[in-house]
Amino acid sequence: MRTANSMLASALLLAAVAAETHASLDGHPSVTQYLTNDAPFVVFGVTPTSLLTTSVSITLTFIATDPLDQVSVFPFVRNASGGPAHLRAHVSCGPRDAGSWNCLIPVTALLQDLHESDGELGLRIEAHGDLRQRGHHSTVIVTLPVRRVPVAARR
């Protein structure tokens, strides 16, 4: 019984943390897509997993299974899923030693490009293991929906 109670308490705590950070355990509604995966790099997720046009930043959490020489994030927005997007100046999130890391990505200026419409924010993540070795490179795209703030809520 004691084990069941501690498991229940752990589950409730995890659910409370997820609710507080606006993240789900599976990352939904954000989507993570690996284009290449040859660096010792794994995206754990983003928090929050969806945004409002008034959001300030998101946090990218990733794991380096070995040291990374470089991790660069190129944020972008687009008005419609799959529509044209322009990459912005990169945010440096590395180099990093092996371990779990968080990287804060500012989004205020990006979201202004949506002109008060719903859209999508994306992160193109370029991770490099040892830069002296070819093929130690991963490219990951994370996308998440952006909803405009209703006019009544802005007052």
Side-chain angles (χ1 to χ4, degrees):
M1 185 67 150
R2 184 178 178 113
T3 301
N5 286 340
S6 66
M7 287 175 55
L8 179 60
S10 295
L12 290 172
L13 178 61
L14 192 55
V17 168
E20 181 177 317
T21 59
H22 309 289
S24 67
L25 297 177
D26 66 354
H28 182 76
S30 69
V31 175
T32 301
Q33 177 185 15
Y34 286 81
L35 302 180
T36 63
N37 190 17
D38 298 314
F41 172 82
V42 178
V43 171
F44 189 73
V46 293
T47 307
T49 58
S50 65
L51 298 171
L52 296 174
T53 52
T54 56
S55 296
V56 175
S57 64
I58 62 172
T59 300
L60 167 67
T61 302
F62 63 91
I63 298 168
T65 57
D66 289 317
L68 296 167
D69 282 350
Q70 185 178 358
V71 179
S72 298
V73 178
F74 299 88
F76 61 89
V77 292
R78 56 184 160 208
N79 286 321
S81 181
H86 298 284
L87 294 177
R88 295 301 183 92
H90 83 282
V91 175
S92 179
C93 294
R96 295 287 189 215
D97 290 328
S100 176
W101 300 97
N102 290 327
C103 183
L104 190 66
I105 311 294
V107 298
T108 303
L110 282 165
L111 297 178
Q112 291 174 354
D113 286 352
L114 291 176
H115 305 293
E116 300 298 322
S117 66
D118 291 349
E120 181 176 68
L121 180 126
L123 304 174
R124 180 182 175 95
I125 306 157
E126 303 278 339
H128 300 274
D130 188 340
L131 289 173
R132 297 169 294 180
Q133 296 184 13
R134 295 177 63 113
H136 280 223
H137 175 82
S138 290
T139 303
V140 183
I141 305 288
V142 177
T143 56
L144 49 154
V146 178
R147 292 187 333 263
R148 65 183 160 81
V149 178
V151 175
R154 288 185 237 164
R155 294 179 188 176

